[in-house]
Amino acid sequence: MNVDFNIDIRHLTRVEGHGNIHIAVREGRLTEAKWAVIETPRFFEAMIKGISAERAPFLTSRICGICSISHTLASIRALERAMEITPPETARIIRLLAMHGETLSSHALHLFFLAAPDFLNAPSALPIMQSHPEIVQAGLMLKELGNALSIATCGRCTHPVSLVLGGLSKAPSKQRLLELKTKIAECRPALEKTTAFFRTLTLPDFVRETEFISLHDGKSYPYIGGDLVSTDGVVRDENDYLEMTNEYLTDFSTSKFTKLSRQSSAAGSLARFNNNYDLLLPGAKAAAAAFGLEPVCHNPFMNNVAQLVECHQIIEEADTLINWLLDDELRDIRVSYKPKAGSATGAVEAPRGILYHHMETDDEGKVIKADCIIPTTQNNANIHYDLHALAEQALAEGKSEQETEKLCVMLVRSYDPCISCSVH
Amino acid sequence: MPDMRFTIPEQNLNLEPFAGRIPDFQKKSEVMITDKGYKCRITNIVPLSSHERVFQLRIVDPLEREVFNFRPGQFLMLEVPGYGEAPISISSSTSNHEFIELCIRKAGHVTSALFEARQGAFVSVRGPFGTAFPMAEMQGKNVLLIAGGLGIAPMRAPLFWINDHRDRYKEVFLLYGAKEPSQMLFTYQFEEWQKVSHVQMRTIVEKPDQSWTGRSGMITALLDEFSFNPKETYAIVCGPPVMFKFVCSHLDRMGIPMNRMFVSLERRMHCGMGKCCRCMVGSTFTCLDGPVFDYWSVMNLKEAI
Amino acid sequence: MNHLGFKMDKVKVGSFDFTCCEGCQLQLANKESTLPDFLNLLDIRNFREISSERHNDYDIALVEGSITRSDEIDRLKAIRAQATVLIAFGSCACFGGVNNLKNRIPQDEAIREVYDGKTIDTMPSMKISDIVQVDLSIPGCPVSKEEVERIVIGVVTRSQVSLPKYPVCVDCKQKLNTCLFDLGEICLGPISRAGCDAVCPTGKTPCLGCRGPADDINFASFKQLVKDKQLSIADMREKLSFYNGFAEYLDT
Amino acid sequence: MIYKVISKTEFRAFIDAIVKENRAYGPQKVDTGSNGKPIYQFMPVKSAAEIDFDYTVTHSSAKHFFLPYRDELSHFNFTDGNWEQEVNYEAPPTILIGLRPCDINAINILDDVMLHGAYPSPYYLARRKNNFIIGMDHLPLPDCFCHSMNRHTVNHGFNLFCSDIGESYYLSINSSKAYSFLKEFELQEPTYEDNCRLIERRKDIKHSFETKIEVSGLPCFLDIEFDSPIWQKWGDKCLSCGTCAMVCPTCYCYSVEERFDIDLEGSTRQNHLYSCNLVDFAQVTGGHNFRPKNGDRLKYRYYHHYRGFAANDNQQICVGCNRCGRACLADINPKDVINDLRLERESCLTCVLPSPSKT
């Protein structure tokens, strides 16, 4: 079969940020498959220099509009570790709840607004609102619950206001917590409906052996801090994050690439799932079983399913955390601290995967050096090489140009890339 | 189970704390009227110029139409649902119970929306509010009406009143000035005012064009064309603040007592009922104590002009 | 809606992002309870973040982000040429936002710091109005969905479209918040434009002025206040420069 | 009015019983300022234990229970080519605990404005008649000047008033509802000693005022000083942030806004508490601002408070709680402004004009 075609997608839609896909086929053979991030760089690591540690998390929050809470907490964790601040337990729980809110709402946004249209052959979620109103309604409910969790715990769902060094500036009221509990109960049927709906969709069959990296602390499903582990057996301390990432520059992308034991590696829901399956709650495990999802899964399209499994996990956990908080006085939420020189890494599991902020402070508490490594950065190389393998498989199966193009964009979307975030 | 001994039931009249100054709860209708307007149908729209139109409104409910009464000089709060309210002076005859006429310039977003509305659409009015021109006090005297620009709109109500009771007044003069001939409003009524109402009328424009054959200049120039006894004359001056300021000082020099000159002030109003305080001039409310003030009071009001 | 005998048309909207975190566009999908009604007001012609459909016949352009690369200037000018109403959406678009913090550092130094000196196409951050005419501004980091709803309704119905002219303190006091100055912190509430529902002081963190200055602010008195309370002028300057909304006051 | 005495423990039991069954608000410590002093506000309470009975003064007044910061005036429901207007001003019964005499006086002043003028407000009335007010006296703070405004005592406008006479409260019961609630608790007839203690307490309060403002003749002064440079001087300090009006118990100026519902099926007319200090208070359609300067706007607030407006019989509406002075970041307070004004006038009279007797 002698076909020549180019797939050239500029500014891929339904993802956060600007990325391009280039596929070139000459005489039926794949000659080029490229994932290029063309986002404008913002130089956060440069602009943060000289900013007070107190303000720094508010700045790094602005790296990303979707996972701002993760960025805030990664910076806070790095700075608290650098300046030896231990936040109170109550604050730790509330922060965790804030993060759950963000992950839930981000997953819901991705599943219903960005990914689902592909499976239903729609250009966006807007026509789905007409064709499948009850599904969109369920998605909106989950997203709203996520936002409500974040708003109650840190004041706002995008760019949180009350997450501060040393703990929290304000605790949620018991009244708000009780309202959240009711909301969670109301959302359970929506989650069931969502799961049932996604089971009706067919995910492309594609596998490429991949090394998955995530946090792991052995006690609970990972969110904030812990060891850095990979499915290839690598284990590192949080502060040794550079050994996990090995960033390098390519000439076609403004976002850097990373690698560990192989050519590329992946982070995200599927990575967390693959490394921490045993720590999932029964409900989440049951959801995974319903999709036949088992660790270690190497199909990147299954990241969508892993996100849905995590929604189950988060809703269960959030309920438990709220119960803990309802038994608490909610008074001890912030410790005071003295600025000091130091340096440390804060690693958190953002919705899209492991996120590192490394901060160095001087003795006045000003940030003198910072390094942020974003999950999408860690996925770029994997997306790039996946595209290559996927395009080859499609050609081998005799798929048309249109079919190949659709598979490629679906692949990129499965990673739920957060591109502006990756070019920070 | 709630302990009923300590529960305050809903809507319990709790009168004691008012200590003898209990508001009149019984006259509930009077309390209500102030916030729910009269629903009106726009029965006619008369274009006057590119930016000014007369809107003829008819109160929908026959009973309300019967009740609605006003005096020359009073204003209404006109509500265009969705867009909000604007204070508008009433431009029609007090004896006309069928229609209310409002002469409106397209200025803010409320009036702009009204200009889009079709004939037959419904709007709402609250009021009438404010003070009126003292038509009774003027009886047996000359009446000098001086209007500048859109100031002719509030002037129509006293003109209609005078027409209805022409024998009670001596000489009536109407001086009307506009910036340009095209901005002269109600030209179609000039003849009626002069012939039927026996009003001596003169017009003047600041910037004449080719079509204009009349006088040009400042409105005060027209005063020389009439002779009357200033001690026996009342004046009503409506127009932009700068205009009534110099007209009134001119009249003062002519010898008309300051408390016999009446002007209508305009301020931003949000309630029309003396509560929001947006229309305060000095310590007076334009909506309650005005909009009609005698010139002596205006002189004594801080920030009036 | 034709209760007055005239019909409202949906507005044809395009949403575009430049250098930013895209958090403001994300707000459009928030406030889920009114989301279907909100989307019903709009005919979305171009919105890369949520839809694959792209048309270039929009009347209203929401423009998010600041300008930091030459190709963005051309894209922005093309949007301006098409749009009847161009709305600067968010603090980055209105003032340059946090992106302007990089302008404090020489460009080569910033590139060396982040990209090991590799050739990177970038330039000092600029706000939208530095390049093209802006018809309406909705400041905020991120924008408040409530305000966006209000302004979109205003545009659709041609009713009043305006931002509050008064400072954040009005809304903050209405929430019965404790004044952050009483807690020993510098808050930009007294000089920043209201409309955010005082979300930061309500979370007990100081206002950083993401909505820029209110109308006709008394900056001299504010500076005196910081001095009188013996708070740090350096801290005040860091807050004032955070979103670049107060650029004109920094040297005074 | 019926007078009784109740022990403090029994009083708490009574409060506990009524707050449990009703929507209730009482003073609560919400924060500690950086100066170490507690900050109080009227907050929703569900038991007597949540109330700080020995509080000093709340940061914000109780005004918003009667004049909410935002209040719906009416709602329009649109149909094809037509609409209906709905007006609803019902308010749920609410118990307010611990209001100071100046706070209750402030509500009485609002009654004059909202209920006794030309157009009584049904919205205010609905709330006023459904609020059950329990007042409590207190020793003044160093900067309180309600005595100067003669607002440090109150004899109407409340359902129940408690004077602290040591181990017990001396109750002034001013409504049958309060009396029927109290009947379930142990009350004593005031003894001769109780009466003496009450008089002592009142004397004590009266003599504890450290801040005094001379307000006699102020209306006239304010008229004369309308163009005084004093206003510019204080205006230069004013941040025009509206804080004073928000915390004030009597500032009631408002703004009316109309907004479409998001589905465009209706619209809502709201009033919104405003302040004459805010920059666009006197701005009219077309953009002209009658009071573009901070000083002009600040003057208006003082004019309204100490001269009074025609609509409320020209009475002074300030009650002397000094909430505005305490909350003002620019350190503007009535005492200093009025003293300044007085000083200006008096020095002017003595230096410039010869005394009439000498001419």
Side-chain angles (χ1 to χ4, degrees), chain B residues 6 32 39 79 82 275 282, chain D residues 22 83 89 119 258 269 300:
Chain B
F6 302 117
M32 300 276 293
K39 188 175 194 170
E79 159 85 30
K275 299 214 165 44
Chain D
N22 299 286
W83 48 261
Y89 45 78
Y119 303 97
E258 183 149 342
R269 202 155 78 203
Y300 249 79

Side-chain angles (χ1 to χ4, degrees), chain B residues 265-282:
Chain B
L265 293 190
E266 277 180 40
R267 279 294 186 280
R268 180 179 190 173
M269 290 176 194
H270 280 212
C271 71
M273 306 183 290
K275 299 214 165 44
C276 74
C277 303
R278 296 306 278 260
C279 65
M280 295 302 301
V281 182

Side-chain angles (χ1 to χ4, degrees), chain A residues 41 43 249-251 253-254, chain C residues 111 115-122:
Chain A
F43 298 92
L249 286 159
T250 62
D251 53 4
S253 174
T254 50
Chain C
I111 295 177
Y115 289 95
D116 303 329
K118 189 182 162 241
T119 323
I120 291 286
D121 187 7
T122 187

